Amino acid sequence: MKIIMEVKMSYKNERLEEFNNYLKNRKVAIIGLGVSNIPLLDYMNEKEARVTVFDDRTIDKIPMEALEKIRKYEINSYFGEESLKNLKGFDIIFRSPSCMPNREELQEEVKRGAVLTSEIEMVLQMSPSTIIGVTGSDGKTTTATLIYEIIKAKGYKCFLGGNIGTPLFTKIEEMMPKDIVVLEMSSFQLMGMEISPQISVITNISPNHLNIHKDYEEYIQAKKNIFKNQDNNGVIVLNYDNEITKEFENEVNGKVRFFSSKEKLSDGIILDDEIIKECKDKVRRHILDTKNIKLRGTHNYENACAAIAATAGLVDVDTQIDVISNFGGVEHRLELVKEIDGVKWYNDSIGTSPTRTMAGLHSFDEDIVLIAGGYDKHLDYKPLAKPILEKVKTLILMGQTADKIFYAVKEEAEIQNKQIETYVCENLEDTVKMAHKVAKQGQIVLFSPASASFDLFKNFAERGKKFKELVNRIF
């Protein structure tokens, strides 16, 4: 009797192993002690790298978790606005997304021979798995999360990271070639990147982060890095309705998959008469009626179209339908907080730009009490004025951008010979009190600031949590 024994060979990530060996005794700079870089302190200590950390913040602003690791591993550190003056003589530099790659100190060190990279770029370089990258001015978190849930529901081992989820560099050793990694990627993460995911999605592009980027063109060029380094086997999912992303088709090396809510494409995923359809060879196949989707708003149906296009070929349509139908959304994105006396309160703290808030306004048929305003990213609020006059009954403003929004709406109201009830408040607590006072039964209170949060809060999530806390105190 002949017995045949099957031996399963374990996968060996040779690229990662080579990199880990290289790290021993190398001088490694970690710039910015944010969420993505703190896990690197453990990793680099384990690989016996000689680490120095840099952060523009003063030591009292550094997370305690990072300070404890710095003390434990006896890591050299420089803090404060002048910290990067000490950036000299390093082999590898890991920058955080908030540290722009074109900073003079970084470029000088690169000229001396240092490798400039980031946690997310190393995932792209070292992971053996298929990687799906998602970027865009609006909708990237919802789209990336939808893709992740669809892939996971099919039975793949799947990792979610980048701008959301957990830092993934320290998890590369767990990744196998058959696995799938989904990355949400911001313009700051993409800027200077020289590698692209195998499958990429750009939900849309509109002016954003112009307080940090040199200009709008720099922002657009950063977004393009998500597909520029693909080969002819790559896939890029693009928004046909956005003039900028539509034109990217001319620069793509791989295959383009379009989605649209306005055009009846002959090839792509479309929203037609409130039904999501797949179009191929001029034949349209009904996929999903939007009345069966929990998410609200055309922008979310567009996100679903993008997720379907990105997962085509990896997952069957039935799995896509099941996940999208039952997906309840991501926190701080048109999130229903509570209904009080017939008034529904929605938290859309992710609305950090005029276009995001416009999408939120168009998600409702009810009259809206809008709470808006926050940190000024040097954006134009004039396009927001018309949707506000069309959808909003009462406007409540706060923060640095209160005046910009007020005067944009005032100018448009004078042109249209309309009036809108408007209040300006000192802080978020006062806006919630005012909204509770003026909102009428059947109306929506929508917290969608159309601005960043940095004037009063650490990020949009902290701002959204505070809003929900204040709403839940009402009753």
Side-chain angles (χ1 to χ4, degrees):
M1 184 177 178
K2 186 176 181 181
I3 299 176
I4 300 175
M5 295 186 67
E6 181 182 354
V7 179
K8 289 187 177 180
M9 301 294 292
S10 60
Y11 172 75
K12 184 178 180 181
N13 190 332
E14 294 182 354
R15 280 180 297 176
L16 183 61
E17 189 175 280
E18 182 181 349
F19 179 71
N20 288 339
N21 291 334
Y22 168 82
L23 286 174
K24 187 172 182 178
N25 292 321
R26 296 288 176 179
K27 293 187 71 177
V28 176
I30 295 178
I31 301 176
L33 291 170
V35 174
S36 61
N37 277 351
I38 290 177
L40 289 176
L41 302 179
D42 297 310
Y43 192 90
M44 294 299 162
N45 179 71
E46 180 187 328
K47 306 306 178 189
E48 299 181 46
R50 295 158 60 193
V51 176
T52 302
V53 299
F54 301 80
D55 200 296
D56 286 345
R57 296 171 292 179
T58 54
I59 194 168
D60 59 302
K61 303 292 185 183
I62 304 299
M64 185 55 65
E65 178 189 3
L67 293 176
E68 288 173 355
K69 292 180 189 296
I70 289 169
R71 284 192 283 266
K72 179 180 178 181
Y73 302 138
E74 299 180 345
I75 293 172
N76 293 326
S77 57
Y78 296 95
F79 300 114
E81 293 180 1
E82 303 295 318
S83 63
L84 287 187
K85 287 186 176 180
N86 300 287
L87 186 70
K88 293 177 182 176
F90 288 90
D91 299 301
I92 306 173
I93 302 170
F94 281 85
R95 71 173 185 93
S96 67
S98 61
C99 180
M100 300 294 274
N102 54 8
R103 281 187 65 163
E104 183 180 349
E105 298 94 336
L106 271 62
Q107 289 304 311
E108 287 298 319
E109 195 66 357
V110 168
K111 288 177 185 176
R112 285 192 284 266
V115 174
L116 177 61
T117 188
S118 64
E119 181 262 346
I120 196 169
E121 187 166 16
M122 292 304 292
V123 172
L124 284 161
Q125 290 178 343
M126 300 292 170
S127 173
S129 308
T130 297
I131 296 180
I132 303 175
V134 182
T135 196
S137 300
D138 308 310
K140 56 184 178 290
T141 300
T142 297
T143 304
T145 306
L146 263 176
I147 290 170
Y148 169 75
E149 294 294 342
I150 290 169
I151 294 293
K152 192 172 65 169
K154 187 59 181 174
Y156 289 94
K157 185 177 180 181
C158 194
F159 300 83
L160 177 65
N163 213 32
I164 54 173
T166 57
L168 295 182
F169 178 74
T170 56
K171 296 184 178 293
I172 295 175
E173 291 175 340
E174 303 173 27
M175 298 175 185
M176 297 291 123
K178 63 182 179 180
D179 300 337
I180 295 179
V181 177
V182 181
L183 299 176
E184 181 195 317
M185 307 175 79
S186 70
S187 60
F188 306 136
Q189 290 167 320
L190 285 164
M191 194 171 175
M193 195 170 283
E194 297 180 352
I195 185 170
S196 300
Q198 294 97 323
I199 301 172
S200 300
V201 180
I202 305 181
T203 58
N204 49 56
I205 290 182
S206 61
N208 208 345
H209 303 298
L210 300 187
N211 58 320
I212 297 175
H213 283 288
K214 180 178 65 179
D215 51 31
Y216 190 27
E217 184 59 29
E218 181 182 89
Y219 175 71
I220 293 170
Q221 292 300 321
K223 292 292 191 185
K224 285 163 66 171
N225 284 337
I226 202 167
F227 69 81
K228 278 179 68 175
N229 298 292
Q230 287 181 335
D231 58 24
N232 55 14
N233 293 315
V235 173
I236 174 69
V237 177
L238 296 173
N239 185 342
Y240 191 87
D241 303 332
N242 184 275
E243 288 302 319
I244 294 172
T245 59
K246 180 182 176 181
E247 291 302 313
F248 288 168
E249 181 184 20
N250 302 318
E251 303 177 51
V252 170
N253 297 319
K255 176 179 173 56
V256 174
R257 295 176 186 164
F258 278 118
F259 67 93
S260 174
S261 64
K262 297 178 180 177
E263 299 291 334
K264 295 181 179 180
L265 306 176
S266 59
D267 188 7
I269 306 296
I270 67 169
L271 178 64
D272 181 25
D273 293 330
E274 302 302 314
I275 295 173
I276 295 175
K277 300 176 182 178
E278 179 190 41
C279 304
K280 198 168 186 178
D281 299 325
K282 297 184 179 180
V283 175
R284 291 184 193 142
R285 179 170 64 149
H286 176 131
I287 294 181
L288 183 60
D289 193 319
T290 57
K291 70 181 180 182
N292 296 321
I293 298 177
K294 288 184 177 180
L295 294 175
R296 294 187 68 156
T298 300
H299 65 296
N300 275 321
Y301 306 148
E302 291 170 344
N303 294 336
C305 289
I308 290 169
T311 55
L314 295 170
V315 173
D316 59 276
V317 173
D318 288 341
T319 301
Q320 294 172 330
I321 292 171
D322 185 57
V323 171
I324 293 169
S325 299
N326 293 292
F327 185 70
V330 182
E331 189 179 18
H332 311 301
R333 291 154 178 84
L334 289 184
E335 175 191 9
L336 177 61
V337 180
K338 200 173 187 179
E339 182 171 343
I340 303 169
D341 296 333
V343 176
K344 292 180 180 178
W345 293 68
Y346 280 86
N347 166 32
D348 194 40
S349 183
I350 189 61
T352 56
S353 67
T355 53
R356 285 182 187 270
T357 296
M358 287 162 64
L361 292 174
H362 288 302
S363 299
F364 299 99
D365 295 323
E366 300 93 332
D367 290 340
I368 296 170
V369 175
L370 175 66
I371 300 173
Y375 179 77
D376 191 355
K377 294 193 290 183
H378 301 166
L379 303 179
D380 182 7
Y381 286 90
K382 289 181 181 178
L384 181 59
K386 284 185 179 179
I388 286 177
L389 286 172
E390 177 188 345
K391 307 286 291 187
V392 175
K393 289 299 179 184
T394 305
L395 177 61
I396 304 173
L397 299 171
M398 58 174 276
Q400 293 178 4
T401 59
D403 282 351
K404 291 181 75 171
I405 298 171
F406 175 83
Y407 285 110
V409 173
K410 182 175 183 288
E411 183 179 324
E412 184 61 33
E414 289 172 354
I415 293 171
Q416 295 189 29
N417 195 26
K418 285 186 175 182
Q419 291 184 336
I420 180 171
E421 186 178 37
T422 304
Y423 300 91
V424 178
C425 297
E426 286 292 321
N427 52 48
L428 185 57
E429 186 170 5
D430 287 346
T431 67
V432 171
K433 288 178 181 177
M434 181 59 70
H436 182 226
K437 181 180 177 181
V438 302
K440 297 177 175 60
Q441 185 175 2
Q443 290 186 334
I444 295 292
V445 174
L446 175 63
F447 176 52
S448 188
S451 313
S453 57
F454 308 125
D455 56 339
L456 296 172
F457 300 96
K458 182 172 64 176
N459 51 41
F460 75 85
E462 182 182 82
R463 177 174 64 182
K465 288 181 187 297
K466 182 63 175 178
F467 174 75
K468 292 194 290 183
E469 177 189 318
L470 291 169
V471 173
N472 283 315
R473 280 187 202 165
I474 294 173
F475 278 105

